[in-house]
């Protein structure tokens, strides 16, 4: 298509693009080849893709049968762990190669039914267990804003591809911040819905059967309207009939478009990981904008966060003592994280005891890595998770808040720090445990004064982990910084509505 104005096509937002495709002023082939070419170019620099889905070329020929679909003619990127017929979903683990999916995952099927064209699979960290995007099969993905920085993970290929302009809509998954952290690091929007709102049938995971901290699928895009349109497209009768375990609740456009004044809780620091200066500043700036727009903002604190992170999250996700992870060559980015997993339980317990006076955080995490021990203990652990969720909901009711504004881990790290810094995902991981919908919106960039302030960073515990965090985020001037918006379970549309308002207020403040 030599006459195609690819540069123009690539600047269109998703809502502008779908309008032009549906009215026929653009044809799907022009859009498809524009994005395919951009993606191939970008991949040379960022290594964000694991493979082109060659069937997408055939799908072009039958596309007109789905002309009424909400995503008619839109090229969509998908994370490597999504089932796509005849393609591997290796999760970056060598022993999973050469086991192609027998059929499409349900969300891929629904995307196609809505007229979208899944065209490329994107990179992930090994075993989806880290937020540095690197594995022994496909190598390391780089950040689109600075190659010396990571794109985040586990949906890091998606973050890099969308942040670099090679895709305008992607589908990721999130168990501890895996959509929100790459969105933060790459300067895009990402949304983790309530678990169970979207089907996860056909998504591969290393930890199938783990119930304490549920994983969920969600959209990633350049703006919030694109996330909302994607949710609207996926929450359709076709998905509800393919997966009867998903509640048949369509997207509530009225709530998304509402302009009701809200009462919003906010926190600058979670008291476990001291935020980087740019993280805290972004929350302060957005709080001021929301107050000026007529919303009420009230301070909020998490309940007993350290207990929740160690006793409920670490012991829940690694209830087996991390034995499921054995038997594959380990990527360098994961080594610092994996080494303690492999230690015998008696040694973990001994080290946990010895480290208690010097490094209380590392001590309790080592204790958590021992797992739960017995089936009775696992049941107790599940009960404790249920209690913690109910206590948190009661706390929200007591504070009388509709939503929460808080930091998201950022800015993008220097390479090889994510494996050493699992503690820093406290900002995102807590909402996976709580099963609250949460999304990230980019609102600022790191300024010279943030870098200056970082020199005096001490951290909450002033331990080795705090030193690592300071080293990980340094040299970030100019990188994007986001904030996180959160609501109670099943209030996904309200969460997106707050994200949209934050996006608009920030845009107006810069105009």
């Amino acid at each position: 298509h030599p006459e195609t104005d690819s540069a123009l096509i690539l600047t269109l937002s998703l809502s502008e693009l779908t309008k032009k495709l549906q009215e026929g002023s653009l044809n799907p082939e022009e859009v498809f080849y524009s994005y395919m070419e951009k993606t191939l170019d970008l991949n040379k620099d960022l290594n964000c893709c694991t493979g082109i889905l060659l069937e997408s070329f055939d799908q072009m020929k039958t596309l007109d049968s789905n002309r009424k679909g909400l995503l008619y003619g839109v090229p969509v990127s998908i994370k490597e762990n999504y089932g796509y017929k005849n393609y591997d979903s290796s999760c970056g683990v060598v022993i999973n190669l050469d086991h192609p999916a027998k059929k499409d995952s349900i969300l891929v099927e629904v995307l196609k039914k809505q007229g979208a064209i899944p065209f490329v699979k994107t990179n992930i960290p090994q075993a989806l267990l880290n937020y540095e995007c690197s594995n022994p099969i496909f190598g390391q993905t780089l950040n689109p804003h600075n190659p010396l920085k990571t794109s985040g993970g586990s949906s890091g290929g998606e973050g890099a591809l969308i942040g670099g302009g090679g895709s305008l809509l992607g589908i990721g998954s999130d168990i501890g911040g895996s959509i929100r952290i790459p969105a933060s690091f790459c300067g895009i929007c990402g949304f983790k819905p309530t678990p169970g709102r979207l089907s996860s049938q056909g998504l591969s995971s290393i930890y199938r059967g783990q119930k304490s901290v549920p994983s969920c699928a969600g959209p990633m895009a350049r703006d919030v309207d694109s996330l909302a349109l994607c949710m609207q497209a996926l929450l359709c009768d076709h998905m509800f009939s393919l997966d009867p375990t998903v509640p048949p609740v369509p997207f509530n456009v009225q709530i998304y478009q509402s302009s009701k004044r809200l009462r919003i809780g906010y926190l600058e620091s979670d008291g476990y990981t001291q935020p980087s200066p740019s993280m805290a500043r972004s929350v302060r700036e957005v709080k001021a904008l929301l107050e000026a727009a007529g919303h009420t903002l009230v301070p909020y604190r998490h309940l007993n966060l350290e207990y929740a992170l160690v006793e409920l999250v670490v012991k829940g996700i690694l209830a087996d003592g991390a034995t499921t992870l054995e038997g594959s060559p380990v990527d360098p980015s994961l080594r610092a994280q994996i080494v303690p997993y492999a230690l015998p339980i008696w040694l973990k317990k001994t080290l946990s005891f010895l480290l208690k006076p010097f490094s209380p955080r590392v001590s309790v995490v080592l204790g958590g890595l021992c797992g739960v021990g017995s089936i009775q203990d696992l049941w107790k652990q599940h009960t404790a998770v249920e209690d913690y969720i109910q206590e948190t909901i009661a706390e929200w009711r007591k504070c009388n808040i509709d939503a929460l504004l808080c930091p998201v881990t950022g800015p993008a790290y220097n390479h090889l720090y994510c494996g050493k810094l699992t503690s820093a995902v406290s900002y995102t991981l807590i909402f996976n445990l709580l099963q609250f919908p949460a999304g990230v919106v980019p609102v600022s960039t790191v300024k010279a004064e943030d870098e200056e302030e970082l020199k005096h960073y001490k951290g909450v515990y002033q331990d080795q982990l705090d030193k690592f965090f300071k080293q990980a985020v340094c040299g970030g001037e100019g990188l994007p910084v986001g904030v996180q918006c959160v609501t109670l379970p099943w209030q996904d549309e309200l969460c997106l509505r707050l994200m949209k308002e934050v996006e608009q207020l920030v845009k107006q403040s810069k105009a």
Side-chain angles (χ1 to χ4, degrees):
H1 293 272
E3 292 85 40
T4 302
D5 187 350
S6 287
L8 173 67
I9 290 171
L10 295 171
T11 61
L12 297 173
S13 69
L14 182 62
S15 42
E16 290 166 339
L17 185 72
T18 47
K19 188 169 176 284
K20 285 183 182 296
L21 283 162
Q22 271 153 0
E23 71 189 16
S25 60
L26 268 181
N27 84 53
E29 270 196 38
E30 294 176 298
V31 176
F32 177 78
Y33 285 107
S34 297
Y35 272 99
M36 185 67 85
E37 197 174 342
K38 176 70 176 173
T39 290
L40 291 170
D41 264 359
L42 200 62
N43 191 55
K44 288 175 199 161
D45 296 328
L46 303 181
N47 188 37
C48 48
C49 302
T50 63
I52 299 293
L53 299 168
L54 297 172
E55 284 73 2
S56 55
F57 292 89
D58 299 327
Q59 201 193 328
M60 295 290 306
K61 295 165 192 162
T62 58
L63 202 58
D64 272 2
S65 59
N66 296 322
R67 198 174 181 111
K68 289 197 171 79
L70 288 178
L71 296 171
Y72 169 72
V74 176
V76 175
S77 45
I78 59 172
K79 188 175 177 177
E80 199 267 357
N81 65 323
Y82 275 79
Y84 191 101
K85 192 179 175 181
N86 298 329
Y87 285 79
D88 285 338
S89 292
S90 72
C91 299
V93 177
V94 174
I95 51 172
N96 290 346
L97 288 172
D98 302 320
H99 297 295
K102 291 184 172 62
K103 59 179 188 175
D104 290 344
S105 58
I106 284 180
L107 290 190
V108 166
E109 238 183 283
V110 177
L111 284 169
K112 288 179 176 178
K113 182 79 173 171
Q114 287 282 20
I117 308 167
F119 75 112
V120 65
K121 274 195 164 198
T122 54
N123 204 18
I124 68 284
Q126 186 174 23
L128 309 176
L129 252 195
N130 189 270
Y131 57 116
E132 170 106 39
C133 193
S134 181
N135 64 73
I137 304 167
F138 304 108
Q140 187 163 53
T141 299
L142 307 178
N143 189 292
H145 302 279
N146 181 344
L148 300 176
K149 301 281 183 174
T150 174
S151 62
S154 62
S155 311
E158 280 301 325
L161 183 63
I162 298 166
S167 170
L168 80 172
L169 179 63
I171 308 287
S173 61
D174 192 311
I175 192 175
S178 293
I179 283 172
R180 290 160 291 153
I181 291 171
S184 161
F185 284 12
C186 297
I188 63 168
C189 299
F191 181 59
K192 176 200 88 70
T194 306
R197 187 83 197 260
L198 296 176
S199 174
S200 56
Q201 276 191 42
L203 263 79
S204 297
S205 103
I206 297 297
Y207 268 152
R208 219 172 144 218
Q210 183 277 117
K211 299 291 184 196
S212 298
V213 185
S215 171
C216 56
M220 301 170 74
R222 293 177 203 165
D223 57 52
V224 181
D225 273 343
S226 303
L227 302 177
L229 181 61
C230 183
M231 288 296 289
Q232 196 179 344
L234 293 172
L235 293 168
C236 63
D237 290 343
H238 191 55
M239 183 180 77
F240 304 141
S241 65
L242 287 171
D243 187 351
T245 67
V246 172
V249 181
F251 189 80
N252 190 324
V253 178
Q254 223 175 333
I255 292 176
Y256 178 60
Q257 291 176 347
S258 145
S259 54
K260 185 174 130 280
R261 297 278 185 269
L262 300 174
R263 190 173 157 88
I264 302 163
Y266 73 93
L267 58 93
E268 244 183 73
S269 169
D270 64 7
Y272 186 76
T273 308
Q274 184 185 330
S276 64
S278 57
M279 281 164 73
R281 175 179 56 77
S282 295
V283 170
R284 287 195 300 273
E285 288 173 358
V286 171
K287 172 187 175 273
L289 291 173
L290 286 165
E291 282 176 327
H295 300 288
T296 304
L297 277 97
V298 295
Y300 178 83
R301 278 185 74 79
H302 289 303
L303 299 176
N304 208 344
L305 185 64
E306 187 175 317
Y307 156 79
L309 292 172
V310 177
E311 293 298 319
L312 307 183
V313 173
V314 177
K315 278 193 178 172
I317 293 179
L318 299 170
D320 65 340
T323 53
T324 311
L325 295 171
E326 292 166 3
S328 197
V330 176
D331 190 83
S333 66
L334 203 59
R335 200 162 286 135
Q337 183 179 337
I338 291 285
V339 167
Y341 293 1
L343 300 175
I345 283 178
W346 68 266
L347 185 53
K348 287 176 194 167
K349 285 182 174 170
T350 308
L351 287 171
S352 172
F353 176 75
L354 293 173
L355 285 168
K356 204 168 189 175
F358 316 104
S359 190
R361 265 201 299 188
V362 175
S363 163
V364 290
V365 169
L366 273 170
L369 290 178
C370 297
V372 294
S374 69
I375 290 169
Q376 287 93 330
D377 288 337
L378 183 63
W379 288 345
K380 283 180 190 164
Q381 201 271 345
H382 285 168
T383 305
V385 170
E386 288 169 18
D387 290 346
Y388 186 76
I389 293 170
Q390 291 311 320
E391 286 158 15
T392 301
I393 291 170
E395 181 66 15
W396 275 48
R397 297 258 155 85
K398 197 175 102 186
C399 298
N400 187 25
I401 55 174
D402 302 300
L404 181 67
L405 169 73
C406 59
V408 56
T409 311
Y413 288 9
N414 295 312
H415 292 295
L416 298 180
Y417 276 93
C418 296
K420 302 172 189 172
L421 270 170
T422 48
S423 59
V425 298
S426 56
Y427 284 97
T428 50
L429 189 47
I430 189 66
F431 302 116
N432 296 82
L433 174 73
L434 289 166
Q435 303 184 30
F436 287 13
V440 164
V441 190
V443 296
S444 184
T445 54
V446 180
K447 297 176 176 171
E449 49 267 38
D450 298 322
E451 285 288 293
E452 195 53 44
E453 198 183 320
L454 184 66
K455 290 175 184 171
H456 310 291
Y457 182 95
K458 291 280 188 285
V460 175
Y461 291 78
Q462 302 188 18
D463 58 5
Q464 188 58 49
L465 298 177
D466 285 328
K467 286 177 188 152
F468 282 151
F469 182 76
K470 182 179 177 178
Q471 292 162 17
V473 297
C474 73
E477 194 173 340
L479 286 176
V481 188
V483 294
Q484 197 172 194
C485 301
V486 187
T487 50
L488 291 175
W490 307 107
Q491 296 187 359
D492 305 70
E493 292 88 345
L494 181 63
C495 185
L496 285 160
R497 178 245 138 133
L498 177 57
M499 290 167 68
K500 172 74 179 162
E501 185 152 4
V502 167
E503 181 184 63
Q504 284 175 324
L505 292 170
V506 167
K507 203 177 277 181
Q508 286 162 12
S509 73
K510 288 174 181 171

